[in-house]
Amino acid sequence: MERFSSLRRDFLRTGGVGVAVAAMPMASFAASAQEGAGFAAGASGIFDVRKYGAKGDGKTLDTDAVNRSIEAASAAGGGVVLFPPGTYLCFSIHLKSQVHLVLQQGSTILAADSPLPGEQTGYSGGTYDSAEPKMEWDAFQDYGHNHWHNSLLWGEGIHDISITGAGLIYGKGLSFGANRNARGNYPIYVAEQAGVGNKAIALKNCYNVLLRDFSILKGGHFGLLLTGVDNLTIDNLKVDTDRDGIDIDCCQNVRVSNCTVNSPWDDGICPKSSYALGYARPTRNLTITNCWVTGYYELGSVLDGTFKKFAPDFRVPRTGRIKCGTESNGGFINVTISNCVFEGCCGYALESVDGALLEDFAITNTTMRDLAAPPFFIRLGARLRGPKESTKVGTLKRILVSNLVCFNAPQRQGSIITGIPGHAIEDVKFSNIYIESAGGGTADDAKAQPTEQEDNYPDPGRFGVIPATGFFLRHVRNLEMSHVEIANTVPDARPAFYLNDVDRADFFAISAPRGSEGAFALHGVKDLRIGWSRAAADTNLSSVDDKIL
């Protein structure tokens, strides 16, 4: 028994802390925190922030006390930094290797108020850490992607770290970006201003990271900005915020599971592959599963359980989606997305516009309802925001989508899958899909000719009205759709499928209403087969310029 206790203490002080302590009952931490004067700070590898001077009263700045406790754990070779119930008002907290933060139920890390415009200090004369110096590659992505130190919790070049527990991280005093209108009863801070905090949690060039069970309210520009983080696990987080929820940028070997994200003003779960590290690095080997994303609900109402939907006349983009991009220099490779629920938000977006290789995706078991944008926006483009000498049009290929049901997709636009002239999207398969759109498109809508938008920001809204209720397919090679049904709530004059510059397309067991003239609009299509379908008679065409079926 004595040897077992010694081994356990050693294990807590080393890299196994994230696993071992997460498995220990929270009650044991509570008991340790209440032992009184006889409890020594750091005993048994547990570093209680109150023992290092934190008040947890929501009024006293606890930044120094929290950082002292983390430094002590790090100096001991690793340990658990414990946040008992209370509200810990902080500016920048510095994460360290082999340190596990445990947020007990009832604990809140509260972001102190940043300096207001024109002022040099924020709450009680404090400031967040300075943003990193400007680098030559900063122009290739927005300001928020280039800086990590100006955050509530941040770490760079560290490893074997974890944040777990049922507590809350509340980014009340953080900026959510420049030139933005107020969202709720919060002041406006300027992200680029010295001393202003911009993100709830930011990590750069880290590995072996676990984030589990806590909640984020109003997380600044990003609830999580994770750049160059490998062996990353994100599990059972609840994020209720007014910009991006979870951004996974240039990361490899990543698992995201069981998360709830309400992000009406920006993306919910957003893999990226920017140039923020100073070179192009792909996001690779990524799994997203069992998540709910939404843009339907007022800020904070998901976390407090009231689920207040925005009033119909309230202008909010209701973004809230799972999106790969927009920053897309390195690529997205080997990605699976499964068992996810979309509600009152935009649909999937897969984007390669800055030279990325977007390859080998499997998306399955998705439900969608009341979308603000089409179920799918799959875009290969030529924005090419990166070094001119090396940034060329990328690839987008080998995409498999199955088992999806969508109710109340938007009227203006069917799903958009489009490359650009000379650069086709390749090897795309859809199976077992049911999409019901609002319908109501007119004969004029059926004549719409969306422009190419080759070098523009990729967004479905920029394409205007789409001349298809189901799928707009342009510059695509090797397409297969089987057991796909398109339905409209009210009649729609547009065809279900619009194909332009498509080479080799197979449609099998397709059900769709026929528009004013037919279900398939074909323009510059080669090697087309339609079989066993209610939408059109069996058809084999080697080449067709303009035809309605």
Side-chain angles (χ1 to χ4, degrees):
M1 181 63 72
E2 183 176 346
R3 174 169 170 77
F4 176 81
S5 298
S6 176
L7 288 171
R8 178 179 175 276
R9 285 194 297 271
D10 291 342
F11 189 56
L12 283 167
R13 288 188 174 94
T14 59
V17 66
V19 176
V21 176
M24 295 172 60
M26 288 295 104
S28 66
F29 293 129
S32 296
Q34 295 170 6
E35 284 180 1
F39 179 77
S44 301
I46 299 173
F47 300 79
D48 184 336
V49 296
R50 288 184 182 270
K51 299 298 179 180
Y52 289 83
K55 301 297 183 183
D57 59 11
K59 298 178 182 179
T60 305
L61 278 177
D62 287 328
T63 313
D64 291 343
V66 169
N67 281 325
R68 280 196 299 269
S69 65
I70 294 173
E71 288 283 359
S74 178
V80 175
V81 172
L82 177 67
F83 290 78
T87 299
Y88 302 90
L89 185 64
C90 294
F91 287 102
S92 294
I93 296 170
H94 307 147
L95 303 174
K96 300 291 183 180
S97 294
Q98 294 186 328
V99 175
H100 177 186
L101 272 56
V102 173
L103 311 183
Q104 283 191 298
Q105 187 79 263
S107 67
T108 298
I109 299 177
L110 175 62
D113 289 348
S114 290
L116 290 167
E119 298 185 2
Q120 294 184 345
T121 61
Y123 183 87
S124 193
T127 61
Y128 290 89
D129 289 349
S130 298
E132 297 88 331
K134 185 176 177 62
M135 305 300 289
E136 61 187 50
W137 54 79
D138 282 9
F140 302 146
Q141 48 276 319
D142 297 338
Y143 175 85
H145 298 85
N146 291 314
H147 305 286
W148 298 265
H149 296 183
N150 57 339
S151 301
L152 177 57
L153 296 101
W154 69 267
E156 181 177 354
I158 59 177
H159 61 88
D160 297 287
I161 61 172
S162 50
I163 304 173
T164 70
L168 173 69
I169 296 173
Y170 181 14
K172 178 176 177 290
L174 302 176
S175 163
F176 51 77
N179 302 320
R180 305 280 178 171
N181 296 325
R183 296 165 184 177
N185 189 25
Y186 295 97
I188 296 293
Y189 303 111
V190 179
E192 295 85 354
Q193 181 178 330
V196 170
N198 187 234
K199 291 161 275 284
I201 299 175
L203 297 174
K204 178 184 180 184
N205 288 334
C206 302
Y207 64 92
N208 298 348
V209 175
L210 170 65
L211 306 171
R212 175 177 287 157
D213 293 339
F214 58 87
S215 299
I216 296 176
L217 173 62
K218 196 180 188 300
H221 192 161
F222 306 95
L224 303 177
L225 176 62
L226 310 169
T227 310
V229 178
D230 295 346
N231 298 341
L232 167 65
T233 299
I234 303 170
D235 180 55
N236 196 37
L237 300 192
K238 292 187 287 291
V239 182
D240 196 342
T241 192
D242 50 4
R243 281 297 299 277
D244 279 26
I246 300 171
D247 275 41
I248 301 160
D249 190 6
C250 307
C251 299
Q252 301 188 2
N253 304 336
V254 181
R255 293 150 299 284
V256 181
S257 58
N258 308 311
C259 292
T260 290
V261 183
N262 179 48
S263 56
W265 287 273
D266 220 317
D267 299 310
I269 300 174
C270 192
K272 295 180 182 291
S273 183
S274 74
Y275 213 84
L277 295 175
Y279 63 98
R281 187 178 199 255
T283 288
R284 183 194 299 269
N285 303 338
L286 166 65
T287 296
I288 301 172
T289 190
N290 301 340
C291 294
W292 174 49
V293 292
T294 181
Y296 232 165
Y297 299 97
E298 294 182 10
L299 180 62
S301 69
V302 168
L303 287 185
D304 69 17
T306 58
F307 297 97
K308 295 177 182 176
K309 292 183 179 179
F310 289 103
D313 60 348
F314 188 85
R315 295 191 64 183
V316 59
R318 293 199 290 123
T319 313
R321 61 191 164 186
I322 296 175
K323 168 186 170 182
C324 291
T326 300
E327 288 75 15
S328 50
N329 297 93
F332 308 95
I333 300 170
N334 280 3
V335 178
T336 70
I337 306 173
S338 62
N339 305 335
C340 290
V341 175
F342 291 59
E343 183 186 24
C345 58
C346 300
Y348 283 114
L350 309 181
E351 302 170 356
S352 170
V353 296
D354 298 322
L357 307 181
L358 194 156
E359 300 176 350
D360 304 317
F361 272 62
I363 300 173
T364 189
N365 297 349
T366 305
T367 67
M368 297 177 166
R369 192 174 183 91
D370 300 334
L371 295 186
F376 294 97
F377 179 65
I378 301 178
R379 174 61 164 165
L380 176 61
R383 183 179 66 168
L384 304 183
R385 195 163 68 168
K388 289 185 178 180
E389 65 278 5
S390 60
T391 305
K392 310 299 180 184
V393 177
T395 62
L396 202 162
K397 59 186 177 182
R398 297 191 297 275
I399 312 297
L400 273 61
V401 182
S402 62
N403 301 342
L404 177 140
V405 59
C406 174
F407 171 74
N408 196 25
Q411 180 270 330
R412 292 181 72 244
Q413 295 185 314
S415 291
I416 301 170
I417 302 174
T418 180
I420 57 176
H423 298 277
I425 294 173
E426 303 175 68
D427 308 322
V428 179
K429 295 188 178 185
F430 286 83
S431 63
N432 298 329
I433 309 292
Y434 181 95
I435 297 173
E436 181 173 331
S437 74
T442 66
D444 286 340
D445 293 337
K447 298 175 183 178
Q449 296 291 319
T451 56
E452 291 284 354
Q453 301 282 326
E454 291 184 45
D455 56 358
N456 285 346
Y457 181 89
D459 183 81
R462 292 176 179 259
F463 287 86
V465 174
I466 293 299
T469 61
F471 287 87
F472 176 78
L473 304 151
R474 183 168 63 185
H475 311 308
V476 178
R477 183 165 64 246
N478 194 13
L479 168 72
E480 180 182 300
M481 291 195 174
S482 66
H483 297 89
V484 174
E485 180 166 355
I486 306 299
N488 301 318
T489 303
V490 299
D492 196 301
R494 295 170 295 178
F497 301 91
Y498 187 104
L499 284 68
N500 184 357
D501 185 24
V502 175
D503 185 356
R504 188 183 169 188
D506 293 337
F507 293 86
F508 179 77
I510 307 298
S511 297
R514 298 175 64 82
S516 56
E517 298 184 30
F520 291 85
L522 310 175
H523 305 279
V525 176
K526 298 178 181 178
D527 194 6
L528 172 73
R529 297 189 302 178
I530 301 173
W532 209 49
S533 296
R534 296 180 182 273
D538 289 1
T539 302
N540 284 272
L541 295 172
S542 60
S543 179
V544 58
D545 291 329
D546 293 285
K547 189 177 182 69
I548 303 292
L549 297 177

